[in-house]
Amino acid sequence: LHVRRLRPDVRLCSAVVAACASGTQWQASLSLLLCDMPASRLAPNAISYAPGLAACLNADHWEHALLLFTHMCSTSIEPDISSYSRMFTECEQQGLQMWQQRLLERLAARAGPVGCTPGWESFAFVVSPGDSVSEAPPPARTTRWVPYSKEVRLLQHVLHTAQRGMPGSVCTAVEDFGINVLGKSKTWLKVAAGMKGNVLAAAARSAPPGGAMLEIGTYCGQSALRLAAVQDRRIASLEMDPVHAVIARALVDFAGLSDRVDVWTGHSRDLIARLAAKYGRATSG
């Protein structure tokens, strides 16, 4: 392009960053994002940054990923949900608690992916340390669909109708929201309720003894709570969407089962290999 005196645009540069990331050339992707694109007076966007972050993390250079994420946020670019997910995964694995809290607060900020959702105050409430559930904001009264509106409304419903420390009450509130609040609308909850819940419980009871239980796909945590109700063992549940993971952790904590249910953020391909070190290899799926 330079030989032909052609000026690249953001879309082309983003594609090159993605190609470098796919080819494990994390240094080249950083150079493009931080040096070459600014030199060409091109502003990277969230699509540009996402593969650069992934390239650093795939190469186990999480420190560079943190620096790149900080640089992206400093330019007022809102990360996409996949970038949040990868950053949460790495911070959890590295034990970077301060960074985890910073990610949570940014996720719940007005400019974040939940900021335009009615009732976002409840989501922000559960990620803020030190608050009591009795002070949770009142439920939002709206049927307007925006991203995560259903899940945030579910969180509000449980906080205001279920009994704290009672897993059965939390599961009942989740099912009540799906049946009586969502009703006959075009939306539905992806939860193991009714007959599905009975099948899940029967499968859990028949699992081999010993070890932890693995669930892939937490959503909002209702099935993990059901598993914990019938099996006195550790439950490891994986959820790729960080917003869903936050809501699931809030419901697990509200149910009083945080000591038995672990909700991990990230894709199974990134997490399963690490679970054996924490729970041992005798893990039921």
Side-chain angles (χ1 to χ4, degrees):
L1 290 174
H2 292 296
V3 171
R4 295 176 179 271
R5 296 182 180 180
L6 298 176
R7 187 173 183 272
D9 58 11
V10 172
R11 182 180 300 179
L12 176 60
C13 289
S14 299
V16 176
V17 172
C20 291
S22 299
T24 68
Q25 299 295 318
W26 65 273
Q27 300 98 325
S29 64
L30 286 183
S31 178
L32 279 164
L33 288 167
L34 302 179
C35 300
D36 297 342
M37 291 184 71
S40 299
R41 297 182 180 179
L42 296 174
N45 54 29
I47 297 174
S48 310
Y49 277 103
L53 285 169
C56 293
L57 294 174
N58 291 340
D60 292 328
H61 289 284
W62 57 268
E63 301 96 332
H64 290 86
L66 291 177
L67 290 173
L68 187 60
F69 189 88
T70 301
H71 182 270
M72 173 171 53
C73 295
S74 70
T75 57
S76 300
I77 296 175
E78 179 58 31
D80 61 15
I81 207 68
S82 66
S83 296
Y84 272 115
S85 180
R86 290 299 306 271
M87 293 302 297
F88 270 110
T89 300
E90 199 63 31
C91 288
E92 288 171 5
Q93 297 302 311
Q94 300 297 335
L96 305 175
Q97 296 182 358
M98 184 176 69
W99 259 97
Q100 288 182 57
Q101 186 59 37
R102 289 176 63 182
L103 287 170
L104 286 171
E105 291 171 358
R106 185 170 182 88
L107 194 69
R110 262 299 191 185
V114 188
C116 63
T117 303
W120 72 275
E121 297 90 349
S122 291
F123 185 85
F125 169 81
V126 298
V127 305
S128 300
D131 288 325
S132 63
V133 174
S134 61
E135 300 171 353
R141 298 183 179 277
T142 179
T143 58
R144 180 170 62 93
W145 185 92
V146 293
Y148 301 110
S149 58
K150 178 173 57 178
E151 292 78 16
V152 170
R153 290 171 62 205
L154 168 64
L155 171 65
Q156 292 179 309
H157 181 80
V158 172
L159 293 181
H160 285 271
T161 62
Q163 291 181 276
R164 185 178 181 88
M166 302 290 289
S169 175
V170 172
C171 289
T172 299
V174 171
E175 295 178 22
D176 175 70
F177 177 80
I179 296 171
N180 297 318
V181 178
L182 290 183
K184 298 181 180 180
S185 66
K186 295 181 180 180
T187 58
W188 58 285
L189 282 180
K190 298 179 289 184
V191 298
M195 289 298 296
K196 293 180 180 178
N198 296 334
V199 171
L200 178 66
R205 292 190 185 97
S206 63
M213 298 195 75
L214 172 64
E215 176 188 40
I216 299 179
T218 313
Y219 189 44
C220 291
Q222 190 257 11
S223 53
L225 293 176
R226 278 188 168 272
L227 289 172
V230 298
Q231 278 283 5
D232 187 18
R233 62 171 78 181
R234 198 80 178 187
I235 311 296
S237 187
L238 315 184
E239 174 55 50
M240 191 167 69
D241 190 310
V243 175
H244 294 166
V246 168
I247 292 174
R249 287 190 188 121
L251 297 190
V252 167
D253 178 69
F254 190 77
L257 291 178
S258 294
D259 59 332
R260 291 181 50 209
V261 178
D262 299 324
V263 178
W264 297 77
T265 311
H267 197 285
S268 57
R269 65 169 176 261
D270 301 316
L271 293 174
I272 286 181
R274 303 179 182 183
L275 295 181
K278 182 174 179 63
Y279 301 102
R281 296 192 177 276
T283 302
S284 303

